[in-house]
Amino acid sequence: MPEVLTAPLTVEFPFTRSLGPVQSAFLTGLRERVVLGVRTGDGRVLVPPVEYDPVTADEIRDLVEVAPTGTVTTWAWNHEPRRGQPLDTPFAWVLVRLDGADTALLHALDAPGPDAVHTGMRVRVRWAAEREGAITDIACFESYDGEQEQPTGHSGEFADAITKIVTPARLDYRYSPGRAQTAYLRALADRRTVGERCPSCHKVYVPPRGACPTCGVATTEQVEVGPAGTVTTFCIVNIKAKNLDIEVPYVYAHIALDGAGLALHGRIGGIPYDQVRMGLRVEPVWTEGARHPDHYRPTGEPDAEYDTYKELL
Amino acid sequence: MSKEPVAVVGVGQTKHVAARRDVSIAGLVREAARAALDDAELTWADVDAVVIGKAPDFFEGVMMPELYLADALGAVGKPMLRVHTAGSVGGSTALVAANLIAGRVHGTVLTLAFEKQSESNAMWGLSLPIPFQQPLLAGAGGFFAPHVRAYMRRTGAPDHIGSLVAYKDRRNALKNPCAHLHEHDITLEKVQASPMLWDPIRYSETCPSSDGACAMVLTDRAGAARAPRPPAWMLGGAMRSEPTLFAGKDFVSPQAGKDCAADVYRQAQIADPRRDIDAVEMYVPFSWYEPMWLENLGFADEGEGWKLTESGVTELDGDLPVNMSGGVLSTNPIGASGMIRFAEAVLQVRGQAGEHQVEGARRVLGHAYGGGSQFFSMWLVGSERPGS
Ligand SMILES: [Zn+2]
């Protein structure tokens, strides 16, 4: 079997988050080198703080400052720091119960090696040099054998509190389109469009997916379709998409290639946009080095009758 | 053993807006949940389980809302589960909650759906750069506009129907204090003069992008008997799915939508929906979907849906009002939009819809769809308990 295509796929987006009153105070506090927790109905202090009491579900807003020193409650050594992690040398992930808190905060501990880390060890916050109101304002924790540091007595009220953060999310995948689409893509390189026929309903899927979605059976019989086809329906796009280098207006159409059991989507060119119509006969236009047809243009044949394509919209 | 009748005794919504910068997502869902509990005069302790729904994860970057929101929704120590079905999720979430009552698993369930579109980008979420594929050429409106053209070709509907729907829904929204768009100076001429984005869809014929949440309290007969206000009763509810693209798919009137409606009508013993149902809250993100769904849901014969719109039947004072709340065209926190349809149907049969109340509404349909017109969820609610 020929080798199946794969390629990296990176999905990333800078999501914004409105903080609400509690997270706003917590993150603004970090900017000011103040660690704030919140007191629950039963008197415990949660760090990091939450907006709602985990026991009673009541809204909680009683902010309490805790010390920048604390105790490691558990840990794991990170041998190979990855992109975006707090430190770029091996470090320990730690849960730290800060002095004055009843719960532990997850962060990084800078340590020379796993032998230097143990549950129960005393640590303190190492503040980042530049702080903006983010969890990274705590650069990391470091080993500490001094006295318990005292809170500054901060009220939790800030003049210029931050209300929103940006949280970039990123996922790295290895993507494979699978056997059937790999064969389809290889045929496209020779400017041929090859689908697969369902052995049960006999419809030809273009692009093929390796199985018929309605019959639930594998498709293997390859069938070349097109190259010409019929515009079955379309719209005229008048707003420019950010990531596309196409002048508006242009026509985005559903095109049923001759012999295909369903329409694929493409752009229509070589004809004024306001003259495109349902039933127009078109053929692909290729550009050098492109994987897919650049667009489709009229063949000059008479329009197809509605009845011949009405099931292929 | 027969199913337990399901009653809705509490409804809560946020005031939907373009951006709720003053609250976290937890704070947003909390407002809707609190309002629903207040309506039912219940406390967090009265709730046995929580069922939550939201938009697809890439739409807002929250992967595990059930984990993040357990404390905000009073779910600690209780079952909490999350439902996924793209844009129809608000409807299917409510139905999963209803089934927990109908199956006598729980006595009282809080169900909720939300989205903060302002903190994300749904269009980005729909157009991930999948290797080897051509980029999507047209955006969400461009995906649906060819289907609208197909509907117009198939039925001979005149061009102005889409504008009539938008004009109606935006006027209805003026009577709904929770609606996002309140366009006080709306006129039909303004709708028709708005830019053509994806011909045949105009700007004013598309939905806004909203932040909002919606919640409901569902309960059994015993819970309904304790309720301070009249409950709405579920008379039928169903979900159906089909693939996004397949040979023979009818995007104008998907089979899954027809089958879903037929199932609801069978459960509710509705012989003729046009006669037996008083009003509809349907999922219309682009105005032309009103006549399309009128046919798909059996309120009009094929090719005749646009005539109901054109003749004013679907107006607030018409014979079959549609989207009395202003609909998705006036409010669209995607993850919540389906549940808002279901909840607005409830408000109507409880007589609590305020200025957008349909006089004497006794049976109202709530409808949601999502994905590439591939997920459908619907419920019919009534003012009388089934079998009573
Ligand atoms: Zn088949």
Side-chain angles (χ1 to χ4, degrees):
Chain A
M1 192 166 97
E3 205 183 327
V4 170
L5 291 170
T6 67
L9 165 59
T10 299
V11 175
E12 58 183 335
F13 192 80
F15 293 101
T16 55
R17 289 289 175 258
S18 300
L19 294 171
V22 173
Q23 302 309 327
S24 170
F26 175 64
L27 293 178
T28 307
L30 297 183
R31 187 186 70 195
E32 307 301 328
R33 302 176 30 144
V34 168
V35 185
L36 293 167
V38 68
R39 196 183 310 277
T40 63
D42 58 10
R44 291 181 305 151
V45 174
L46 309 186
V47 180
V50 296
E51 289 185 70
Y52 303 98
D53 192 312
V55 176
T56 64
D58 288 338
E59 186 175 284
I60 45 177
R61 295 290 181 268
D62 182 11
L63 296 166
V64 182
E65 191 190 357
V66 298
T69 53
T71 304
V72 171
T73 63
T74 189
W75 60 281
W77 189 251
N78 181 13
H79 296 270
E80 282 186 275
R82 301 177 66 173
R83 167 178 193 286
Q85 292 188 339
L87 296 169
D88 53 15
T89 52
F91 63 89
W93 288 115
V94 285
L95 282 172
V96 177
R97 190 171 58 233
L98 292 169
D99 298 326
D102 291 288
T103 57
L105 170 82
L106 174 67
H107 219 293
L109 172 69
D110 188 8
D115 292 345
V117 186
H118 63 272
T119 294
M121 78 183 280
R122 295 283 296 163
V123 294
R124 104 175 138 187
V125 170
R126 180 191 297 165
W127 295 104
E130 305 215 341
R131 296 178 307 281
E132 52 177 13
I135 190 65
T136 48
D137 289 354
I138 297 177
C140 61
F141 282 84
E142 58 193 18
S143 175
Y144 177 67
D145 54 11
E147 291 295 302
Q148 173 176 332
E149 288 187 10
Q150 295 305 313
T152 64
H154 202 283
S155 67
E157 302 271 341
F158 299 94
D160 51 347
I162 60 155
T163 58
K164 165 183 109 159
I165 56 169
V166 176
T167 60
R170 176 180 165 122
L171 296 163
D172 287 290
Y173 297 97
R174 188 92 202 151
Y175 174 83
S176 171
R179 175 204 58 81
Q181 286 214 44
T182 294
Y184 167 76
L185 290 161
R186 293 237 156 86
L188 279 185
D190 300 329
R191 301 190 173 179
R192 294 185 307 122
T193 303
V194 177
E196 288 185 357
R197 191 192 309 277
C198 171
S200 175
C201 68
H202 308 296
K203 301 280 191 187
V204 175
Y205 274 84
V206 185
R209 306 128 187 229
C212 174
T214 41
C215 303
V217 296
T219 57
T220 50
E221 185 200 341
Q222 298 203 329
V223 181
E224 184 164 349
V225 301
T230 300
V231 172
T232 64
T233 185
F234 64 95
C235 69
I236 302 164
V237 179
N238 286 311
I239 47 168
K240 203 162 164 60
K242 268 189 219 129
N243 54 342
L244 289 177
D245 187 25
I246 304 173
E247 284 307 308
V248 294
Y250 63 89
V251 172
Y252 171 72
H254 296 188
I255 300 154
L257 296 178
D258 296 345
L262 73 174
L264 48 72
H265 299 174
R267 185 168 62 88
I268 305 298
I271 177 174
Y273 69 89
D274 56 358
Q275 289 176 29
V276 174
R277 54 213 179 257
M278 293 168 72
L280 182 70
R281 294 284 297 160
V282 294
E283 64 189 5
V285 176
W286 297 87
T287 49
E288 198 54 45
R291 195 184 292 279
H292 299 273
D294 180 71
H295 64 275
Y296 294 79
R297 68 180 172 209
T299 62
E301 296 166 86
D303 286 1
E305 291 290 332
Y306 181 60
D307 281 349
T308 65
Y309 65 84
K310 68 179 183 189
E311 310 290 333
L312 299 166
L313 302 177
Chain B
M1 192 164 77
S2 65
K3 289 181 182 175
E4 176 65 25
V6 179
V8 187
V9 295
V11 171
Q13 289 184 61
T14 56
K15 159 71 178 103
H16 309 292
V17 294
R20 277 297 301 273
R21 297 206 173 86
D22 60 319
V23 287
S24 62
I25 289 173
L28 183 80
V29 300
R30 176 77 172 199
E31 277 182 22
R34 189 65 258 174
L37 287 176
D38 288 348
D39 184 18
E41 295 182 14
L42 294 177
T43 67
W44 299 106
D46 297 317
V47 172
D48 300 318
V50 178
V51 183
I52 185 168
K54 66 179 276 295
D57 294 344
F58 284 139
F59 279 29
E60 61 192 357
V62 175
M63 308 282 284
M64 290 182 279
E66 64 285 359
L67 187 156
Y68 161 41
L69 298 170
D71 46 0
L73 294 173
V76 175
K78 299 170 186 174
M80 179 169 189
L81 61 106
R82 184 235 176 141
V83 178
H84 304 240
T85 56
S88 75
V89 68
S92 38
T93 302
L95 289 174
V96 170
N99 288 342
L100 293 173
I101 304 290
R104 297 188 173 86
V105 177
H106 298 297
T108 299
V109 177
L110 172 68
T111 187
L112 181 138
F114 70 94
E115 182 158 4
K116 271 190 119 181
Q117 283 218 61
S118 69
E119 303 196 351
S120 59
N121 185 324
M123 199 53 244
W124 170 83
L126 287 168
S127 48
L128 302 182
I130 307 294
F132 313 113
Q133 291 187 7
Q134 264 183 315
L136 184 68
L137 285 167
F143 181 85
F144 290 103
H147 307 312
V148 169
R149 184 179 303 278
Y151 173 76
M152 295 164 79
R153 171 67 180 79
R154 191 185 291 186
T155 63
D159 292 349
H160 67 284
I161 301 299
S163 297
L164 290 177
V165 174
Y167 177 49
K168 165 182 68 77
D169 285 4
R170 298 278 158 69
R171 277 179 295 138
N172 288 352
L174 294 174
K175 298 177 189 292
N176 175 8
C178 286
H180 171 183
L181 296 184
H182 281 146
E183 298 180 338
H184 292 280
D185 52 355
I186 189 79
T187 64
L188 181 59
E189 292 68 33
K190 280 189 178 167
V191 172
Q192 289 175 321
S194 68
M196 194 62 100
L197 300 185
W198 304 279
D199 189 339
I201 296 179
R202 288 181 181 82
Y203 173 74
S204 291
E205 297 165 3
T206 67
C207 53
S209 174
S210 316
D211 285 1
C214 179
M216 292 188 286
V217 178
L218 276 50
T219 191
D220 53 15
R221 281 172 295 182
R226 292 190 296 266
R229 280 173 272 280
W233 293 95
M234 185 167 99
L235 307 179
M239 297 179 243
R240 288 292 186 282
S241 318
E242 64 183 40
T244 318
L245 293 168
F246 62 93
K249 169 142 185 150
D250 184 353
F251 268 103
V252 170
S253 190
Q255 189 62 42
K258 292 181 191 174
D259 293 348
C260 189
D263 191 356
V264 171
Y265 301 153
R266 181 190 52 76
Q267 293 172 36
Q269 297 171 314
I270 298 290
D272 176 357
R274 173 79 175 81
R275 189 192 64 212
D276 299 339
I277 292 175
D278 300 316
V280 190
E281 279 281 341
M282 61 169 75
Y283 202 110
V284 176
F286 301 100
S287 60
W288 278 95
Y289 273 81
E290 174 176 302
M292 289 161 70
W293 294 144
L294 282 169
E295 296 174 27
N296 187 246
L297 299 176
F299 292 103
D301 288 338
E302 208 158 284
E304 305 287 317
W306 62 270
K307 294 176 185 169
L308 296 187
T309 299
E310 187 179 49
S311 62
V313 168
T314 61
E315 295 266 352
L316 189 53
D317 60 358
D319 193 41
L320 181 71
V322 173
N323 290 332
M324 300 69 74
S325 66
V328 179
L329 278 178
S330 306
T331 304
N332 192 28
I334 302 174
S337 287
M339 191 171 288
I340 296 171
R341 308 279 73 70
F342 277 44
E344 285 287 346
V346 166
L347 291 178
Q348 290 289 341
V349 299
R350 294 172 80 200
Q352 289 188 319
E355 268 196 83
H356 63 286
Q357 176 70 46
V358 172
E359 198 67 37
R362 288 168 47 250
R363 279 186 292 261
V364 178
L365 186 70
H367 160 272
Y369 88 109
S373 301
Q374 70 195 105
F375 299 116
F376 293 84
S377 55
M378 304 172 200
W379 78 5
L380 186 73
V381 287
S383 50
E384 303 284 328
R385 191 173 55 141
S388 63

